[in-house]
Amino acid sequence: MEGKINKQLKKVLKKIVKEAHEPLAVADAKLGGVIKEKLNLSCIHSPVVNELMRGIRSQMDGLIPGVEPREMAAMCLGLAHSLSRYRLKFSADKVDTMIVQAISLLDDLDKELNNYIMRCREWYGWHFPELGKIISDNLTYCKCLQKVGDRKNFASATLSELLPEEVEAEVKAAAEISMGTEVSEEDICNILHLCTQVIEISEYRTQLYEYLQNRMMAIAPNVTVMVGELVGARLIAHAGSLLNLAKHAASTVQILGAEKALFRALKSRRDTPKYGLIYHASLVGQTSPKHKGKISRMLAAKTVLAIRYDAFGEDSSSAMGVENRAKLEARLRSLEDRGIRKISGTGKALAKAEKYEHKSEVKTYDPSGDSTLPTCSKKRKIEQVDKDEEITEKKAKKAKIKIKVEEEEEEEEEVLVVEEEESSVKKKKKKDKKKRIKEEPVSEEEPCTSVAVSSPEKKKKKKKKREDED
């Protein structure tokens, strides 16, 4: 298989070299080259030789006497299996069932850790509720409880190894004025036992994660570079094995893990999901929401190439994965910078280029660029123009009001002059009447009575005249 001569083959060929006068037919070209170098025996490799070899294999029962067909079939099957295993290079390091078990155990540990920590915080919260708000990290919270225990011991305990000075002072101050209830020693023993369980499980989880990283780098280095250890392990576990995952298309790998959403969308005739487990990859996570679909599609295509290279390739380096990841990162940068050029035309027809027209433009010097003062923006200019218009409108209104007031004053003055003239005329009339009355002699009583009677009538007439004049 590797183009090397076996010991038994050497012995046979040495006997043939002495007797052979014709070239040797060889099924493998590499093996023929090695035989020619070491034994100086001319070899032939051609399609005719391949046909001849196929005929010999089919007639093996007749050519070799004393071999039963059952044994020959079993030998052929065993040889086929051993050759396929050798070609795929199955070794103890390439077993992917360990990855499937490790990732499933890691997920179970995460669930159990969350449940244990929630129970521990809630349980100790009855005794010291303020501690949960001050210390947010779960592991340091459990380590503090394991070291101190009762709330009263916080004042004398030294937590400088676990907490910074500021947080330690805050914890001690909160322990003195805590509103928690008193707890017996037996309860605290159970809480501390739960804390030790949490610490041990978290340490085992870190150890398991390191083991998973090493196994992934040994079995699928290119997939690990493309999508990371956890996402790659989850893809392998979801497919069942690395070989089964290599048989999937890129579109299947893209939505692997979102089967429920896919079938729901197909039933309701809505848009199908754009990503499944691959959504948790770092490349998809760092893109903007509108480009996540494009990047997940491109990442799935490159990841499928990496999976097939890891499953069937002889080389165990991660050079191909690093190269493809660099291409995807460059594509991501071009998408984020809006550097996508629109291509006009179709694949068959060439894009139409517009005619070039030279336009000569005469540019004048702009003196406004010489000033170092900050220029106001367009919005401010518009606001200033609006303010100027409002000021001019107000001035025009004030001028109109002044003109109206002046006209009214002139009319009032004219009315006053007319009234003064009328009053002077009336005074003259009254004086004339008084003179006439004095000049007339009073002879008899009767006329006096008549005058007295007639005076109220005259007064009424005078009043009417005045009203008419007014």
Side-chain angles (χ1 to χ4, degrees):
M1 290 297 296
E2 294 178 356
K4 293 178 181 179
I5 304 171
N6 197 7
K7 288 181 180 180
Q8 294 177 353
L9 185 62
K10 266 188 181 181
K11 288 179 182 178
V12 173
L13 289 173
K14 281 178 182 178
K15 291 178 183 178
I16 293 169
V17 168
K18 294 175 184 178
E19 300 173 359
H21 301 288
E22 293 180 2
L24 180 68
V26 182
D28 189 12
K30 288 181 181 178
L31 186 64
V34 173
I35 292 167
K36 194 172 184 179
E37 285 178 6
K38 291 188 175 181
L39 302 171
N40 293 324
L41 185 65
S42 60
C43 302
I44 297 171
H45 174 72
S46 63
V48 179
V49 174
N50 288 332
E51 288 294 322
L52 183 62
M53 292 287 184
R54 192 176 64 80
I56 291 167
R57 285 195 203 100
S58 61
Q59 301 295 327
M60 191 73 78
D61 299 335
L63 293 170
I64 302 172
V67 180
E68 294 182 3
R70 250 176 109 184
E71 292 177 359
M72 187 61 72
M75 186 270 291
C76 290
L77 187 63
L79 182 63
H81 281 300
S82 62
L83 281 173
S84 61
R85 281 198 195 93
Y86 186 78
R87 282 192 175 180
L88 292 173
K89 289 193 175 178
F90 279 141
S91 63
D93 295 333
K94 284 279 184 182
V95 178
D96 51 5
T97 52
M98 302 300 169
I99 288 174
V100 177
Q101 298 298 327
I103 192 65
S104 57
L105 179 59
L106 197 69
D107 292 337
D108 293 340
L109 283 176
D110 286 335
K111 289 177 185 176
E112 292 299 323
L113 266 175
N114 286 330
N115 290 331
Y116 279 18
I117 288 160
M118 283 172 63
R119 183 64 57 205
C120 184
R121 280 179 175 271
E122 190 177 351
W123 199 352
Y124 195 74
W126 289 100
H127 181 54
F128 190 8
E130 292 83 6
L131 187 66
K133 294 178 182 178
I134 296 167
I135 302 172
S136 58
D137 188 29
N138 296 320
L139 193 59
T140 52
Y141 182 87
C142 293
K143 284 179 179 178
C144 285
L145 292 190
Q146 195 180 27
K147 191 171 184 179
V148 178
D150 199 350
R151 182 183 62 198
K152 297 173 184 177
N153 301 330
F154 273 98
S156 60
T158 55
L159 301 171
S160 58
E161 297 176 0
L162 302 171
L163 301 171
E165 293 180 0
E166 297 174 357
V167 179
E168 186 181 357
E170 192 178 354
V171 168
K172 288 180 179 180
E176 292 177 358
I177 55 168
S178 179
M179 296 179 69
T181 59
E182 294 294 330
V183 181
S184 65
E185 291 181 2
E186 190 178 356
D187 294 331
I188 287 173
C189 287
N190 286 314
I191 293 168
L192 294 177
H193 184 65
L194 181 61
C195 290
T196 53
Q197 291 289 321
V198 169
I199 293 163
E200 286 175 2
I201 292 170
S202 59
E203 287 174 357
Y204 176 63
R205 189 203 173 279
T206 54
Q207 184 185 348
L208 185 68
Y209 181 67
E210 289 175 2
Y211 165 76
L212 184 65
Q213 279 182 324
N214 297 329
R215 298 300 291 178
M216 280 298 294
M217 283 304 295
I219 293 168
N222 294 291
V223 179
T224 307
V225 170
M226 291 297 296
V227 294
E229 301 90 7
L230 291 174
V231 178
R234 285 197 176 95
L235 287 171
I236 292 168
H238 200 84
S241 67
L242 189 63
L243 288 174
N244 290 342
L245 187 62
K247 293 173 186 176
H248 290 314
S251 57
T252 310
V253 172
Q254 184 183 349
I255 57 167
L256 208 66
E259 287 84 4
K260 285 185 180 179
L262 175 66
F263 293 122
R264 195 189 308 123
L266 290 172
K267 280 183 181 178
S268 58
R269 294 183 181 179
R270 292 181 182 175
D271 294 335
T272 54
K274 295 179 181 177
Y275 26 67
L277 290 169
I278 211 166
Y279 179 80
H280 300 287
S282 59
L283 277 172
V284 180
Q286 67 191 17
T287 55
S288 57
K290 64 177 181 179
H291 297 313
K292 280 186 189 293
K294 282 184 180 178
I295 291 295
S296 62
R297 187 178 68 248
M298 291 187 284
L299 180 62
K302 297 293 183 186
T303 306
V304 165
L305 290 176
I307 290 162
R308 289 169 185 169
Y309 188 82
D310 289 333
F312 303 115
E314 295 179 358
D315 191 11
S316 61
S317 66
S318 59
M320 193 263 282
V322 172
E323 186 182 349
N324 286 335
R325 188 178 175 85
K327 288 179 183 177
L328 284 174
E329 286 174 353
R331 176 66 175 159
L332 175 60
R333 281 195 295 273
S334 68
L335 283 174
E336 293 293 335
D337 297 339
R338 297 178 183 177
I340 305 166
R341 296 178 180 178
K342 292 181 179 179
I343 301 167
S344 59
T346 58
K348 295 179 180 177
L350 293 171
K352 293 180 181 179
E354 295 179 357
K355 289 183 179 179
Y356 175 73
E357 294 180 0
H358 180 67
K359 295 178 182 178
S360 61
E361 294 180 359
V362 180
K363 293 184 179 180
T364 57
Y365 178 70
D366 187 12
S368 63
D370 295 339
S371 64
T372 57
L373 297 172
T375 56
C376 60
S377 61
K378 290 183 180 179
K379 289 185 179 178
R380 289 186 179 177
K381 285 181 181 178
I382 292 163
E383 288 175 359
Q384 286 178 0
V385 170
D386 293 338
K387 286 180 181 178
D388 294 338
E389 288 178 355
E390 288 178 1
I391 290 164
T392 52
E393 286 177 0
K394 286 179 181 178
K395 286 181 180 179
K397 285 180 182 178
K398 286 180 180 179
K400 286 180 182 178
I401 291 164
K402 283 182 181 179
I403 292 164
K404 285 182 181 179
V405 170
E406 288 174 357
E407 288 177 355
E408 288 176 357
E409 287 177 354
E410 288 176 358
E411 287 177 358
E412 287 177 357
E413 287 175 358
E414 289 175 358
V415 170
L416 288 170
V417 170
V418 172
E419 287 179 353
E420 286 177 358
E421 289 176 356
E422 288 178 353
S423 62
S424 62
V425 172
K426 286 179 183 180
K427 285 179 182 178
K428 286 178 180 179
K429 285 181 180 181
K430 283 181 182 180
K431 287 179 181 179
D432 294 334
K433 284 180 181 179
K434 286 179 181 178
K435 285 179 181 179
R436 286 174 189 173
I437 290 165
K438 287 179 181 179
E439 289 174 357
E440 288 178 358
V442 182
S443 60
E444 297 178 357
E445 295 177 357
E446 290 178 2
C448 289
T449 55
S450 64
V451 171
V453 172
S454 63
S455 62
E457 292 177 359
K458 286 179 180 178
K459 287 179 180 178
K460 287 180 182 179
K461 288 179 181 179
K462 285 179 180 179
K463 282 181 180 180
K464 286 181 180 179
K465 283 181 181 178
R466 286 176 184 173
E467 288 174 0
D468 292 333
E469 287 172 357
D470 293 329

